[in-house]
Amino acid sequence: TRKPASNDLDAPGTIERKEMEEVLEALYKIEGINAESAEDKANKIFYKLDRNQDGELDVDEFCRGCLEDSNLVKLLNSGIDHEKMEDDLARQEAEKEMLQKRYQIQYEEFDM
């Protein structure tokens, strides 16, 4: 069995309800949502995804749940500001190029 991504906190290859709750609580805090509601939401999501009701989500249950529920995917991605991340990467690349040009000019002046 493959392991789910970073949501598997104790690493046996499954996600337990408490782990789901901790992940949602962290996401809620990032979004400025009352973290106390994370427990209720985690229970609802977990119950929905745990198809065999064994108290753990394996990678197949987790992936199927994400494929079937676009709202779950949005929730799990909620702490990620993709536009800001792209802007930051573009800014870093521009700064890198500027520094490379600046140091190349200084090096050429020193070399003369």
Side-chain angles (χ1 to χ4, degrees), residues 4-62:
S6 61
N7 299 335
D8 183 11
L9 303 178
D10 61 3
T14 60
I15 300 172
E16 297 171 357
R17 191 207 51 78
K18 184 67 176 166
E19 292 170 323
M20 173 79 69
E21 181 183 330
E22 291 170 8
V23 168
L24 289 180
E25 187 175 301
L27 290 172
Y28 277 28
K29 284 180 182 178
I30 290 169
E31 293 295 311
I33 301 170
N34 183 354
E36 291 177 9
S37 60
E39 181 178 1
D40 184 50
K41 186 69 171 178
N43 285 330
K44 289 177 183 175
I45 292 171
F46 198 87
Y47 180 76
K48 181 178 179 179
L49 298 182
D50 190 15
R51 292 176 184 257
N52 62 4
Q53 300 299 305
D54 67 352
E56 298 178 331
L57 299 179
D58 62 31
V59 71
D60 294 324
E61 289 172 318
F62 185 78

Side-chain angles (χ1 to χ4, degrees), residues 9 32-33 41 47-48 76 95 102-105 109:
L9 303 178
I33 301 170
K41 186 69 171 178
Y47 180 76
K48 181 178 179 179
L76 295 174
E95 289 174 357
R102 181 182 298 162
Y103 286 115
Q104 182 63 32
I105 291 169
E109 290 174 356

